[in-house]
Amino acid sequence: MNITKEQIDELNAVVKVAITKDDYQDKVDAILKDYRKQANIPGFRKGQVPIGLIKKQYGKAVLVDEVNKLIQDNLNTYLTEEKLDVLGNPLPKQQDNFDWDQEEFDFEFELGLAPAFDVSLKSKKPITHYKIVADKKMVDEQVERIQKQYGKLIQKETSDKTDELTGTFKNEEEGIDNKTTLELDKVAGKKALGQLTGKKVGDTVTINTKGLFKEDYLLSGALGIAAEKAKDLKIDVDFTISEINERQPAALNQELFDKLYGAESIASEKELRERIKTDSEKQFEQQSEQKLLNDVTEHFIENTKFDLPADFLTRWIQMTGEEPLTSEQATEEYQKSEKGLRYQLIEGKIIKQNDVQINFDELKEFAKGFIKSQMAQFGQLNPQEEELDNIATRVLSNQDEVKRLSEQLMSQKLIALYKEKANLKVKEVTYENFVKEVYG
């Protein structure tokens, strides 16, 4: 077998594979002999079928199969040995009047080659790295929420604007009949709030759903309907009150601190506020780092210039898709995937240039940390190391999980690399301002 490469341009090449009879004949003969031993053909005893008949019946199929295996194995080996960085897979060139009855075969494969380019982690203009801080307003709201959550309910005869009303929403025409609890401090608008205050158990109030709550998402839950139906809903509903309660906030004392964080972990309101601030900012790190990763990714895509073998990749998409595609559809699919392909190449270059690697021990420790955090959500705060080790081993026996966790760990390593070497400008913002600035 002889394999040669013809370079068309920097991004395209053709590989020619020449196969002679000596390359495949011994293997084909051995397979046909095995077929003869097993063949059951009427008129012949098992194992006594003439080899000529076996060749006539199975020879062509065996030949085609063995030649294709030879091509696949040797072509892959050639690409590896020649260190050819190809995109997609080699595409066989169509050959007119190809004849499987000949003894020597010539095949040609088109290659799309990865471009040569450099990536600099240092940008001229600094990239913003948001550091989200928990300000006094946020901490105050968290403390108030905790006091409310752990507070006591006191039944009342007449409703006030800070009470909780349990009752049933009804609207026959819309099929609404849902029992719920309204927190009046979440009701928007003076009119609606006025209608719901000064009322007693058994009273029925007719209110309009338009702008009923300060947060629009609360309406679907209150009415017991789908969010899509609740969106822009403007109807009158009857609300019949069955219970009125005032929630008395819990005192900020040692009993509450122990309930929240365990015995003697927190000893004062000041320590509670510091803990809330620290925990909140730790939770914000994930959003901040994801934003950084997105921004650095966009920077590299926009500022790292190189060409791709677009025509080859379009044909490759057209020929290798699960469903047949027209050339127009393949072009559209290529345009959709081009940005992602560019970043795959850029990321690969960054990983190689900076020798970013993942070994199995690192991946296992990462998996154990992931498992531990999941267990904590279900109240298992101190799992045994042996238990974590066993679960991680089972998880990593699944190749899909290995791929998913490897991608997450690699993202963490890249973020750490960007923090160390990229041109970043740290900007402290509150969570509220982060949301406004990033998501508009």
Side-chain angles (χ1 to χ4, degrees), residues 98-150:
F98 186 85
D99 185 5
W100 281 105
D101 289 327
Q102 59 191 356
E103 294 185 343
E104 297 186 352
F105 307 103
D106 293 310
F107 300 92
E108 293 186 355
F109 295 86
E110 296 179 80
L111 302 181
L113 304 177
F117 62 92
D118 292 317
V119 181
S120 173
L121 293 179
K122 291 287 186 183
S123 56
K124 291 182 181 179
K125 184 179 178 181
I127 299 169
T128 300
H129 177 203
Y130 291 95
K131 182 182 179 182
I132 307 172
V133 295
D135 60 353
K136 184 178 182 300
K137 177 185 174 186
M138 172 173 280
V139 175
D140 287 345
E141 288 174 350
Q142 283 281 72
V143 171
E144 185 179 332
R145 182 189 62 77
I146 289 169
Q147 287 183 278
K148 195 172 182 180
Q149 180 181 348
Y150 288 88

Side-chain angles (χ1 to χ4, degrees), residues 347-408:
E347 185 183 79
K349 179 75 73 171
I350 292 170
I351 290 169
K352 186 175 181 180
Q353 285 180 348
N354 294 276
D355 194 28
V356 183
Q357 298 180 16
I358 294 175
N359 61 48
F360 182 77
D361 289 340
E362 283 181 313
L363 186 60
K364 190 170 184 179
E365 285 304 309
F366 181 74
K368 286 161 69 173
F370 183 76
I371 293 162
K372 192 173 181 179
S373 66
Q374 285 190 317
M375 293 174 75
Q377 294 177 18
F378 296 95
Q380 295 177 264
L381 301 178
N382 295 299
Q384 296 294 317
E385 186 66 22
E386 184 179 356
E387 182 183 11
L388 284 174
D389 201 73
N390 290 337
I391 297 173
T393 300
R394 289 200 302 271
V395 168
L396 295 176
S397 67
N398 183 319
Q399 289 305 307
D400 289 337
E401 285 297 307
V402 170
K403 182 175 183 293
R404 182 178 67 84
L405 291 169
S406 296
E407 288 172 353
Q408 291 180 4

Side-chain angles (χ1 to χ4, degrees), residues 176-188:
I176 295 171
D177 186 349
N178 189 61
K179 187 173 182 179
T180 190
T181 297
L182 292 182
E183 297 177 44
L184 293 188
D185 59 1
K186 293 182 179 178
V187 172

Side-chain angles (χ1 to χ4, degrees), residues 159-279:
S159 62
D160 197 5
K161 61 182 180 181
T162 57
D163 292 338
E164 296 180 9
L165 307 185
T166 298
T168 303
F169 277 111
K170 287 189 178 182
N171 180 298
E172 282 190 33
E173 192 175 323
E174 295 293 334
I176 295 171
D177 186 349
N178 189 61
K179 187 173 182 179
T180 190
T181 297
L182 292 182
E183 297 177 44
L184 293 188
D185 59 1
K186 293 182 179 178
V187 172
K190 291 182 179 179
K191 182 179 179 181
L193 192 57
Q195 289 176 284
L196 292 165
T197 54
K199 296 296 183 282
K200 297 181 183 299
V201 171
D203 287 349
T204 297
V205 180
T206 301
I207 51 181
N208 195 275
T209 59
K210 182 182 178 183
L212 179 57
F213 294 102
K214 293 176 182 178
E215 300 290 343
D216 291 339
Y217 74 90
L218 294 171
L219 184 61
S220 63
L223 300 183
I225 59 176
E228 191 61 33
K229 183 177 180 180
K231 187 180 179 182
D232 301 323
L233 189 66
K234 302 174 185 177
I235 60 170
D236 286 334
V237 289
D238 293 330
F239 182 69
T240 302
I241 301 169
S242 59
E243 196 175 326
I244 301 170
N245 292 298
E246 176 187 355
R247 188 173 288 273
Q248 188 177 73
L252 295 173
N253 55 25
Q254 194 62 50
E255 181 183 356
L256 177 62
F257 304 153
D258 290 350
K259 280 182 183 178
L260 292 171
Y261 297 107
E264 300 180 2
S265 294
I266 301 291
S268 66
E269 181 181 341
K270 181 181 178 183
E271 288 184 17
L272 172 66
R273 290 177 175 275
E274 289 173 351
R275 179 67 177 265
I276 289 171
K277 178 177 173 65
T278 300
D279 289 351

